[in-house]
Amino acid sequence: MKTSLLCLLALIALLLSSCHTQTDDFISKNCPGSCTVIKGTLTTDGRTKPLAGVKLEVQWHEGDMFSSIRRRKAITTTDASGNYELRFLLRDDELPSTYPDNGSFTVKAHINLENYLNCSGGNILLRTYDLKRDTTITFDYLLPQKAFVEIQANNLQAKQQDDFMWTEFLSDAPCTTVVSWYTSDTKQIIPIAANQPVIIRTTKRKSGVETVTEEVITLAPGKTFNYEYTF
Amino acid sequence: MLLRMKTTFLYLLLFFIVFKATAQSDSSAHTSQIRVYFGGAFPKGDFQSSDFEDTYTPFAMSGPLMQVSYAKAIGRNLYGGATLGLRINAMDLDKFAEENDELVLSKKSRPWQSVFTLADAEYRFNLTDGYFFVKGSAGAALNRSASLHVETTYGTIAQAADKNTAFAYGASTGLFANFDKFELGFETGILSTRPEFKFTDAQGRSTNYKLSMTTINLGIFGAFSF
């Protein structure tokens, strides 16, 4: 019985894995006409420093957990000023259609995710569902280097039912991190943008009184700042 | 295809060794040799790449290699000489666009081509019925990049061929059997050059790129000694 079940599972896994395909679209990469263009500048350090030599790639993806197709459409490398241009040709099956059959385009950066802060947690800079032919999109992107804040909350056991406390990390970055404090989580390490100002704002309500405190820090890449707050 | 060629060469070698005995003579009496070689050139490394990330993807396929060599004895078992060679490797257009690609109306290309002029140094080891040799070569190669012309429903993708001469080198080894003044043998080796080509994209922007055009070669030759 167990053997039959294992064989069945193996067969299902084989069937599922065979339905996921990835192709390279060289016609699109060498777009002969009616091109879609995504261009812009990639920077870091609060948009003050261009990111040169970063490989960027456009992919089209459609599917679900059972079957999918991933098609590489264009690839380029940022120049010395961080400028890039991705030029590609949309095929008919990549044009916008009705949800949920709609595929999506992503712009991915070939970066070391240990060094750079990105909202998606992965290497996706842009995701879009409705690109058209003969269209140019300008997309400037800030890709901050990564620093860290080790935050420590004290006296959380004093929190009552209507009390709250959270800490936000605000900067000119693609996303904002918010930590809500409960009684169990008293210490966390949060990645933040390096080489640019980051506001650490903690908001708390204690016994009906709401207070906001702010601290501005600028950290070098890879450095860790210790932040402690007592409820 | 490679496996079939290897098998053929091994049978040929076996044939030479078995039927050699009656025709044996002392080839050391001959001081010069002209050799005509024909075989397959199998791209390796960057040259065979079909990588989407390449500036210019070569898509090189295996193709013919033809060589004419002259060698003259310059010492005991040591020969010096020269080789003129032509290597042709077509582009794998089916990797550029599938046969049934709905966007493609027609596609064609001219192959990668290299003309080699090499100086050779060869050392021969006497065998009972022939010789085993090792050969090193260095010189120049006049290279031509592949051209591409693909008609699509949205326009034409056209990449013109470019030419560049670059340093070339080779190394090979092989066996041959004597039939009086004639010899038959097989040879395998590597042939490499790294020219710089200009690539112009659809927007007219030019990029210079260096491409290692390396092939592993396997072939047979006939030779005449005098």
Side-chain angles (χ1 to χ4, degrees):
Chain A
M1 182 65 186
K2 276 183 180 175
T3 310
S4 302
L5 193 62
L6 280 172
C7 287
L8 185 64
L9 285 172
L11 184 65
I12 290 170
L14 193 67
L15 286 171
L16 291 181
S17 64
S18 64
C19 297
H20 299 279
T21 57
Q22 177 165 325
T23 59
D24 294 333
D25 190 347
F26 285 94
I27 298 290
S28 168
K29 182 187 173 189
N30 294 277
C31 183
S34 301
C35 307
T36 302
V37 180
I38 300 175
K39 65 179 186 177
T41 307
L42 188 63
T43 52
T44 190
D45 296 354
R47 301 182 195 276
T48 61
K49 184 180 170 189
L51 270 174
V54 176
K55 202 167 274 185
L56 300 175
E57 178 181 313
V58 177
Q59 286 187 2
W60 177 76
H61 177 258
E62 183 181 53
D64 49 40
M65 65 179 292
F66 300 109
S67 67
S68 69
I69 181 165
R70 187 178 299 279
R71 200 177 282 155
R72 294 207 285 179
K73 301 294 295 177
I75 194 159
T76 193
T77 304
T78 57
D79 66 15
S81 304
N83 296 320
Y84 70 92
E85 182 175 298
L86 290 154
R87 183 178 289 266
F88 50 100
L89 175 62
L90 271 62
R91 290 174 180 268
D92 288 347
D93 63 348
E94 296 163 356
L95 292 170
S97 57
T98 313
Y99 184 84
D101 297 325
N102 207 355
S104 66
F105 285 89
T106 52
V107 176
K108 292 185 173 181
H110 292 219
I111 50 167
N112 185 347
L113 293 170
E114 288 185 2
N115 298 336
Y116 290 97
L117 184 69
N118 194 23
C119 280
S120 67
N123 58 353
I124 296 174
L125 306 186
L126 172 70
R127 185 186 297 276
T128 178
Y129 292 86
D130 55 355
L131 287 181
K132 296 179 178 68
R133 293 188 186 119
D134 287 311
T135 305
T136 297
I137 296 169
T138 301
F139 177 64
D140 297 328
Y141 196 83
L142 169 66
L143 192 57
Q145 297 186 76
K146 207 182 265 186
F148 302 92
V149 174
E150 185 174 321
I151 50 175
Q152 168 85 53
N154 300 319
N155 198 33
L156 287 178
Q157 69 276 11
K159 275 178 69 180
Q160 301 299 310
Q161 193 174 0
D162 294 331
D163 294 343
F164 61 76
M165 183 170 86
W166 67 76
T167 303
E168 300 163 275
F169 299 86
L170 308 169
S171 66
D172 177 17
C175 52
T176 299
T177 304
V178 180
V179 176
S180 293
W181 292 105
Y182 302 97
T183 50
S184 55
D185 298 320
T186 57
K187 195 174 190 177
Q188 290 189 41
I189 294 177
I190 307 295
I192 62 163
N195 283 347
Q196 66 182 81
V198 176
I199 301 166
I200 305 176
R201 178 188 292 161
T202 297
T203 306
K204 75 170 180 182
R205 184 167 72 190
K206 187 175 183 182
S207 305
V209 179
E210 197 167 312
T211 54
V212 177
T213 57
E214 286 188 354
E215 184 172 352
V216 181
I217 60 169
T218 301
L219 296 181
K223 297 294 179 188
T224 300
F225 177 77
N226 292 306
Y227 177 79
E228 206 166 308
Y229 195 86
T230 301
F231 181 76
Chain B
M1 182 184 173
L2 182 62
L3 187 64
R4 196 185 310 153
M5 286 183 76
K6 278 180 180 168
T7 311
T8 308
F9 292 136
L10 285 173
Y11 278 125
L12 275 172
L13 180 64
L14 198 61
F15 173 84
F16 295 151
I17 290 168
V18 169
F19 291 95
K20 173 63 196 54
T22 56
Q24 179 65 36
S25 72
D26 181 10
S27 85
S28 62
H30 307 304
T31 57
S32 297
Q33 185 189 55
I34 290 176
R35 194 180 286 180
V36 178
Y37 168 101
F38 183 82
F42 306 92
K44 292 292 160 197
D46 292 345
F47 194 31
Q48 68 164 354
S49 172
S50 54
D51 193 337
F52 193 72
E53 297 183 18
D54 291 346
T55 305
Y56 183 88
T57 311
F59 298 110
M61 294 195 297
S62 54
L65 171 66
M66 292 146 283
Q67 294 183 123
V68 177
S69 305
Y70 171 77
K72 185 175 174 58
I74 54 174
R76 183 177 167 78
N77 293 335
L78 186 63
Y79 288 71
T83 294
L84 181 66
L86 172 65
R87 185 178 69 184
I88 296 170
N89 296 95
M91 258 183 120
D92 190 347
L93 283 175
D94 287 342
K95 282 188 178 171
F96 185 88
E98 288 179 4
E99 197 63 47
N100 56 353
D101 192 313
E102 77 275 9
L103 294 176
V104 177
L105 303 173
S106 69
K107 54 184 177 181
K108 60 182 178 182
S109 75
R110 287 178 71 195
W112 298 91
Q113 183 176 294
S114 297
V115 176
F116 294 91
T117 49
L118 303 167
D120 305 321
E122 179 178 315
Y123 191 84
R124 295 178 184 176
F125 300 89
N126 293 331
L127 301 175
T128 311
D129 295 324
Y131 291 91
F132 166 75
F133 66 89
V134 288
K135 189 168 77 173
S137 308
L142 172 60
N143 305 287
R144 189 192 71 197
S145 64
S147 68
L148 178 68
H149 191 93
V150 180
E151 297 280 353
T152 78
T153 47
Y154 291 94
T156 303
I157 298 169
Q159 286 162 9
D162 190 24
K163 288 180 180 172
N164 185 260
T165 302
F167 172 74
Y169 67 90
S172 63
T173 185
L175 288 165
F176 65 86
N178 292 329
F179 296 91
D180 194 11
K181 288 185 173 182
F182 296 94
E183 287 98 23
L184 284 171
F186 86 96
E187 183 177 338
T188 183
I190 187 172
L191 203 50
S192 186
T193 178
R194 193 161 185 262
E196 183 174 278
F197 293 122
K198 185 195 281 185
F199 165 70
T200 305
D201 68 14
Q203 286 68 55
R205 291 173 299 205
S206 295
T207 311
N208 286 343
Y209 69 101
K210 284 193 168 183
L211 176 66
S212 289
M213 298 172 69
T214 303
T215 54
I216 301 289
N217 312 311
L218 192 64
I220 55 173
F221 62 84
F224 176 72
S225 294
F226 53 98

